Amino acid sequence: MSTPGKFPLRKTIYWGAHYLMIAAFVAFALFPLYWLLKVSVTPNDILYTEGVRMWPSRTTWDNYTFVLTQSHFPHYFMNSVIVSGCTALFTCIIAAITGYAFSRFRFNGKIIIVALMLITQMFPLVMLIAPIFRILAPLGLTDSLTGLIIVYTAFNVPFATFLMQSFFDGIPKDLEEAAMIDGNTRFEAFRRIILPLTLPGIAATLGFVFTAAWSELLFALMLVSSESASTFPVGLLSFVSKFGVDFGQMMAAGVLALIPACAFFLLIQRYLVQGLTAGAVKG
Amino acid sequence: MASIEITNARKSYGAVDVLHGINLDIQDGEFIVLVGPSGCGKSTLLRMIAGLEEITSGDIAIGGNVVNDLQPKDRDIAMVFQSYALYPHMTVAENMSYALTLRKTAKEKVSAAIDNVAGILGLNALLQRRPKALSGGQRQRVAMGRAIVRQPQAFLFDEPLSNLDARLREQMRTEIRKLHRRLGATSVYVTHDQIEAMTMADRIVAMYDGIVQQVGTPLEIYDRPANIFVASFIGSPAMNFLTGTYQATGNTAAMTLDDGTVIPVLATPNASNGQKVTLGARPEHIDIVENGSVPSVTANVDLIEPMGLSTLVHVTLAGKPVKIFTLARPDLAIDSTVQIAFNMDKTHLFDSESELRLPPASEPHSSQPA
């Protein structure tokens, strides 16, 4: 009767080790976030004096109050919401239509277009700053949110298109053909039958593009000079002054900046999980 | 309901010709089965009728109107897909009513139509379910229901039964047939399964390589196949083929197989002495006989497959495998020899070069190759 007891023990160890490893990974991944939170609630006077501690002896909301009431941060924040939201929206619309075309139609030059779109993904972005600046400046699009939205959309469309294409590939062509026979035009079939089925894919794409735009610094820094058009990653830099870095406020701003991204993912996570798996089994 | 006329319809993808000038007249209310191996163009032809593929040249007319340039939605046809193509985000009822709602049919009319069709197909209990929650057979029924509800000019079926298991397939075959008798709708049914073709069709259109090989009733096609392809494709177990040369003296004729074996055949006016011909004999038209009772030839027994009702005997004749179908249960040993006799009236001669059938002098001309 010794063997039946052995298996549960072995299983316990196996699952124990399993969860331990997952926990270790999660701790490793989330630790910087924890530190962000910790520093944001640490009063300035003990930030450097207490040494390395997991939690400060005193906590304060002062950093948050300052950031929300006395800095330009709320303004940067709104700018970021506008830029990221619009970028995600426009990119998704373009990527959905392009991805559908790539998935369903055979047309001349398809390979060339796909290759060109892939090539755009190969350039180091730094190389493109000067030419893009030269293009946008005469159009009056530097130092403006519109300029940023256009640039972000342009950069995200290729990848988002491939993403959307793989989702459309996963939906049988028969469905829109059935709809077309039932009385839809191709566009109606796309809108009424295919789009609802691609919601997970659209959510995944939205999430991807939104985060990319939300955290973009390079172009935001180079194309925008005025405070009125700055996004929050640029704004974070304003906490770095010539003589020091205000870590407490910077971290508080960082925590606040996480909120919309988290909220956004919370909103789409139901579709996202489906979407990611749907993409995974595809092919 | 309407007739469908296809006139010299061609389809090419770039330089590749898929259909080489198809001519076909489908009568009002007829059940036509397009049959052929994969890649023969049967599905392409169906999709061209549906408007899902463009017609490279030629005309397709439904109910007398040329529909070449009409969108699928304007052709008033319904189609049942191999994958069923049910809308996954809609319930069974929504799936079936989709086409009617698009046509802005009054709500009461829609629900009456759905109730009626659900009654015919036994779908009443499933109307509020999503396709995900249905079995393969039920999905198939819903797909049929979606087509029937619309009362279209014509039904198109694209291998609708090939995803079902054998038993269900047999059952649905009968049901579709009964349904057709009840609705009397013009139907075009694509399949690669010759049994479906034989059992369901009013007329079969046998296709190969983008060309219509023969059009005829199932029995015409079975009894008088136009060429070697049709002969080999229709019938299960498949027809046996033996090659040799034709010899006729007066009213009697015979063919000499490659190993010198001589088999008597019906004389045909279309073959000359010494011409290379292929003998086609269905397994049920070869008999196992007692030595010397009728003109017979000797073959070697390779394999015996008892199937209960019947037995399939595999033998070798002139180096070629030959299958014999018999309702008897012959007492044979593997590797022994057996005397077999060909039923001369039922065997076919084909020209080995053109592969066309050489009808015997005694046969009235009825079924024509297209």
Side-chain angles (χ1 to χ4, degrees):
Chain A
M1 291 301 285
S2 61
T3 35
K6 255 187 177 178
F7 278 105
L9 180 69
R10 202 180 274 179
K11 238 179 185 172
T12 318
I13 294 173
Y14 172 78
W15 283 109
H18 187 87
Y19 282 115
L20 201 72
M21 279 167 74
I22 293 176
F25 174 75
V26 171
F28 180 74
L30 291 184
F31 189 76
L33 283 184
Y34 166 74
W35 212 249
L36 184 78
L37 195 71
K38 182 224 149 189
V39 175
S40 72
V41 294
T42 307
N44 264 337
D45 52 330
I46 59 168
L47 187 57
Y48 297 104
T49 52
E50 281 201 325
V52 179
R53 285 176 64 148
M54 288 308 285
W55 197 248
S57 52
R58 278 186 293 124
T59 59
T60 172
W61 293 106
D62 287 353
N63 291 325
Y64 288 91
T65 328
F66 181 87
V67 164
L68 286 174
T69 55
Q70 287 168 56
S71 72
H72 290 288
F73 189 79
H75 184 70
Y76 299 151
F77 193 84
M78 272 319 291
N79 283 347
S80 265
V81 169
I82 293 168
V83 168
S84 306
C86 291
T87 304
L89 187 71
F90 295 146
T91 306
C92 270
I93 292 172
I94 298 171
I97 294 168
T98 326
Y100 181 79
F102 279 155
S103 169
R104 293 297 198 256
F105 302 130
R106 291 150 42 123
F107 50 90
N108 290 337
K110 181 172 167 181
I111 304 272
I112 298 171
I113 296 173
V114 171
L116 277 174
M117 286 176 71
L118 272 177
I119 288 171
T120 60
Q121 301 292 291
M122 296 174 189
F123 285 104
L125 292 184
V126 184
M127 268 175 58
L128 298 175
I129 288 173
I132 283 178
F133 193 86
R134 295 286 300 178
I135 295 169
L136 294 186
L139 298 171
L141 289 173
T142 54
D143 210 8
S144 87
L145 297 183
T146 320
L148 276 187
I149 293 170
I150 292 172
V151 171
Y152 290 171
T153 304
F155 275 104
N156 281 303
V157 157
F159 182 79
T161 299
F162 293 128
L163 206 62
M164 285 307 297
Q165 184 196 343
S166 75
F167 287 111
F168 288 124
D169 284 346
I171 294 174
K173 217 168 75 181
D174 289 357
L175 285 183
E176 71 246 45
E177 289 182 346
M180 282 158 69
I181 286 176
D182 268 351
N184 281 148
T185 61
R186 183 175 276 279
F187 186 75
E188 283 163 2
F190 171 73
R191 194 174 57 80
R192 298 187 55 158
I193 304 293
I194 304 303
L195 270 192
L197 297 174
T198 336
L199 279 183
I202 293 176
T205 312
L206 271 176
F208 171 80
V209 178
F210 186 89
T211 347
W214 185 257
S215 55
E216 208 283 336
L217 176 63
L218 189 64
F219 281 97
L221 198 61
M222 296 299 171
L223 297 180
V224 174
S225 49
S226 75
E227 223 152 55
S228 64
S230 283
T231 55
F232 108 87
V234 180
L236 275 188
L237 290 179
S238 68
F239 296 104
V240 184
S241 68
K242 245 180 209 167
F243 308 105
V245 181
D246 202 326
F247 277 114
Q249 290 166 13
M250 194 190 226
M251 298 295 165
V255 171
L256 290 173
L258 278 175
I259 292 170
C262 289
F264 190 76
F265 273 91
L266 213 63
L267 210 69
I268 61 169
Q269 57 95 18
R270 193 163 66 93
Y271 300 104
L272 196 61
V273 175
Q274 284 177 38
L276 291 179
T277 44
V281 248
K282 194 243 127 213
Chain B
M1 305 305 148
S3 60
I4 300 174
E5 295 93 37
I6 302 168
T7 320
N8 204 17
R10 289 171 189 276
K11 177 73 189 174
S12 345
Y13 294 106
V16 185
D17 292 334
V18 186
L19 292 177
H20 312 265
I22 304 284
N23 289 294
L24 190 61
D25 277 351
I26 299 169
Q27 307 300 318
D28 187 4
E30 204 176 13
F31 198 105
I32 285 280
V33 175
L34 306 179
V35 69
S38 7
C40 72
K42 57 190 190 299
S43 282
T44 309
L45 182 59
L46 190 79
R47 292 168 57 81
M48 281 160 65
I49 300 174
L52 297 172
E53 299 277 351
E54 277 178 29
I55 304 164
T56 307
S57 70
D59 282 327
I60 292 181
I62 299 176
N65 304 316
V66 174
V67 294
N68 289 18
D69 299 323
L70 286 189
Q71 289 203 43
K73 73 184 179 82
D74 300 322
R75 296 191 183 197
D76 196 14
I77 36 108
M79 184 157 165
V80 179
F81 290 80
Q82 181 177 357
S83 65
Y84 316 138
L86 302 178
Y87 311 128
H89 56 307
M90 296 184 191
T91 63
V92 168
E94 287 165 347
N95 260 286
M96 298 207 314
S97 62
Y98 189 67
L100 294 180
T101 25
L102 287 181
R103 281 169 179 69
K104 303 210 162 48
T105 314
K107 260 194 183 154
E108 310 80 59
K109 270 192 181 170
V110 173
S111 58
I114 288 182
D115 284 345
N116 176 34
V117 171
I120 295 176
L121 293 169
L123 292 170
N124 288 323
L126 307 175
L127 286 176
Q128 294 315 314
R129 290 209 203 159
R130 293 272 167 95
K132 200 165 60 176
L134 302 178
S135 71
Q138 290 168 334
R139 284 178 203 183
Q140 219 286 329
R141 261 169 226 275
V142 176
M144 296 278 302
R146 188 171 64 179
I148 296 169
V149 157
R150 290 182 42 195
Q151 303 187 315
Q153 300 245 41
F155 288 106
L156 308 177
F157 299 88
D158 192 2
E159 310 212 14
L161 304 185
S162 44
N163 287 349
L164 301 179
D165 63 46
R167 236 185 84 188
L168 212 50
R169 199 179 312 163
E170 208 169 297
Q171 189 190 332
M172 284 310 295
R173 215 158 67 198
T174 326
E175 279 192 35
I176 293 178
R177 221 25 216 143
K178 280 186 185 158
L179 215 63
H180 176 252
R181 207 174 311 149
R182 183 169 174 168
L183 303 170
T186 312
S187 306
V188 186
Y189 186 106
V190 161
T191 181
H192 61 266
D193 181 347
Q194 52 95 19
I195 295 178
E196 272 175 31
M198 288 295 289
T199 52
M200 300 177 80
D202 289 332
R203 280 193 302 156
I204 290 177
V205 177
M207 290 181 67
Y208 181 61
D209 222 3
I211 294 170
V212 172
Q213 305 286 329
Q214 190 174 5
V215 182
T217 66
L219 290 183
E220 271 170 10
I221 293 224
Y222 191 81
D223 292 338
R224 290 190 289 277
N227 54 39
I228 290 184
F229 165 77
V230 177
S232 64
F233 194 78
I234 301 289
S236 171
M239 189 184 273
N240 300 294
F241 294 99
L242 296 162
T243 50
T245 50
Y246 178 81
Q247 291 293 335
T249 38
N251 281 337
T252 61
M255 82 173 263
T256 312
L257 301 186
D258 297 341
D259 72 338
T261 309
V262 175
I263 295 174
V265 293
L266 290 180
T268 165
N270 303 308
S272 49
N273 281 353
Q275 184 176 336
K276 290 268 181 210
V277 289
T278 301
L279 176 82
R282 296 207 180 272
E284 66 270 29
H285 297 147
I286 308 173
D287 297 320
I288 295 168
V289 294
E290 295 291 321
N291 214 348
S293 58
V294 280
S296 62
V297 292
T298 308
N300 292 311
V301 179
D302 294 331
L303 185 67
I304 298 161
E305 290 182 315
M307 291 183 286
L309 171 68
S310 59
T311 307
L312 198 61
V313 183
H314 297 246
V315 301
T316 305
L317 178 65
K320 292 263 172 61
V322 171
K323 280 181 234 151
I324 303 167
F325 176 93
T326 170
L327 288 175
R329 294 184 177 177
D331 184 19
L332 296 170
I334 289 172
D335 289 336
S336 66
T337 58
V338 63
Q339 291 302 115
I340 61 173
F342 288 81
N343 183 342
M344 193 164 70
D345 296 336
K346 299 283 176 67
T347 54
H348 307 278
L349 276 188
F350 300 94
D351 178 38
S352 289
E353 200 125 309
S354 68
E355 300 202 340
L356 291 177
R357 178 163 176 265
L358 307 166
S362 51
E363 182 180 296
H365 200 70
S366 60
S367 174
Q368 66 288 327

